Amino acid sequence: MKSYSRRQAIETIGRSVATVCILPGLGMIQNERKKHFVTLSFDDGFKKSSIRTAEIFEKYKLSACINVIATAHLPGFVLPNEYHNLPVGDFVLWNELQARGHEIMMHGYKHAHKDAMPFDEAKSLIMRCIDVFSKELKGFNPKNSIFNFPFNASTPELEAWLPSQVKAFRTGGPAINKLPHKGQVKLTCTSHGPDNIDEHLNGEVEKLLAKQSGWLIYNTHGLDEEGWGPMTSDFLDRLLGRLVEIDSVEIIPAGRALSRI
Ligand SMILES: [Zn+2]
């Protein structure tokens, strides 16, 4: 009979548990069970919405995924459009929310259309964004970060260069990604606006649940009346309440999902 070290024996038992547990009706280990990942990727960092979003996620012991503009809180910030004309949080708030377990990631230096400027200019804005986050956000490491393109507007050239600076980036594309895996640097998402998104988001969640597996990344903004394509806070509350009851669903920030690989 083959002899096993303690570690080999544990690994072998672990593998057989994982195999057995994919049968329906049996208790499943965490990694086998979670087949539907959901990331609600909140952009723009409106103060009131971000605080409320964090509170609602905390009610379900979940972490929110909040993407903020490096300079939006500074005097002289030029609003990218009328949907940004609202008070935003600053790095005191972002550090506080991060300390409470939420994920704070980059959403540009000044919220520029990076597909409408020369490559070097776009690159320089991203480097400046990384510099601000490195200085202001506690424990920030660009190599573990996600860059969330403003307007989800990237270019093939930027997409080829960016993984040399960050762990991954989020841009426009199919809402349902493959489950987190090694080498995944491009995350694609859908978004909806300028009016309320409740119904649209609900439809995208249903599409995910109808699939065998997948990772829905939905780019959200403010809550209630705030920002482009807002969601009602009551809808967010009910949606999370419903999803946490579904065994196959994992609600998780993008960076955390990739950090497990
Ligand atoms: Zn934005």
Side-chain angles (χ1 to χ4, degrees):
M1 186 184 161
K2 196 176 168 186
S3 69
Y4 287 95
S5 70
R6 181 180 152 77
R7 185 174 162 190
Q8 281 169 331
I10 289 168
E11 283 172 356
T12 306
I13 291 164
R15 274 199 300 275
S16 46
V17 167
T19 309
V20 167
C21 290
I22 55 174
L23 295 170
L26 294 174
M28 296 180 187
I29 62 166
Q30 181 90 348
N31 291 341
E32 295 293 331
R33 200 175 63 202
K34 303 296 184 186
K35 295 292 186 192
H36 299 110
F37 275 46
V38 176
T39 297
L40 300 180
S41 187
F42 287 87
D43 280 2
D44 299 338
F46 304 122
K47 188 175 181 183
K48 189 174 149 203
S49 290
S50 299
I51 292 170
R52 187 75 190 110
T53 299
E55 286 169 354
I56 295 171
F57 273 73
E58 284 166 15
K59 179 176 166 186
Y60 298 99
K61 300 189 172 16
L62 296 169
S63 300
C65 177
I66 298 173
N67 311 306
V68 306
I69 306 161
T71 59
H73 59 294
L74 299 177
F77 176 70
V78 178
L79 299 177
N81 56 40
E82 71 270 28
Y83 298 107
H84 285 257
N85 195 12
L86 292 162
V88 294
D90 57 16
F91 280 90
V92 174
L93 178 63
W94 307 140
N95 277 305
E96 185 204 316
L97 294 184
Q98 181 177 259
R100 278 160 50 185
H102 304 290
E103 184 168 289
I104 308 294
M105 290 293 183
M106 298 181 286
H107 188 44
Y109 181 75
K110 60 175 189 177
H111 208 285
H113 269 289
K114 293 192 175 57
D115 55 342
M117 62 176 63
F119 173 61
D120 283 340
E121 193 180 334
K123 209 165 114 174
S124 153
L125 283 175
I126 292 171
M127 293 313 292
R128 286 162 80 185
C129 183
I130 290 173
D131 284 348
V132 171
F133 273 70
S134 301
K135 193 165 144 262
E136 303 283 356
L137 190 65
K138 284 183 190 134
F140 179 79
N141 177 352
K143 293 289 182 190
N144 295 331
S145 75
I146 312 287
F147 187 85
N148 297 272
F149 275 96
F151 308 104
N152 291 309
S154 58
T155 66
E157 213 176 2
L158 284 170
E159 291 182 12
W161 164 76
L162 202 42
S164 67
Q165 306 299 319
V166 299
K167 189 172 194 83
F169 58 86
R170 191 207 70 200
T171 187
I176 298 179
N177 295 253
K178 288 192 176 140
L179 285 173
H181 58 272
K182 202 167 175 347
Q184 193 171 19
V185 293
K186 178 174 180 171
L187 307 176
T188 57
C189 68
T190 193
S191 198
H192 191 72
D195 299 325
N196 179 279
I197 63 166
D198 296 359
E199 205 179 311
H200 185 261
L201 170 55
N202 204 48
E204 296 300 304
V205 169
E206 291 309 319
K207 282 186 209 164
L208 172 72
L209 296 177
K211 288 175 80 83
Q212 190 70 28
S213 70
W215 180 8
L216 170 65
I217 302 179
Y218 193 104
N219 175 205
T220 51
H221 296 81
L223 291 183
D224 300 319
E225 303 302 317
E226 291 199 333
W228 187 86
M231 167 178 8
T232 56
S233 45
D234 183 52
F235 173 79
L236 174 61
D237 194 337
R238 283 183 284 115
L239 177 68
L240 296 182
R242 178 165 78 93
L243 292 179
V244 293
E245 295 300 323
I246 303 174
D247 240 15
S248 66
V249 172
E250 174 96 54
I251 302 159
I252 190 166
R256 203 156 305 169
L258 291 179
S259 74
R260 289 185 184 173
I261 307 304

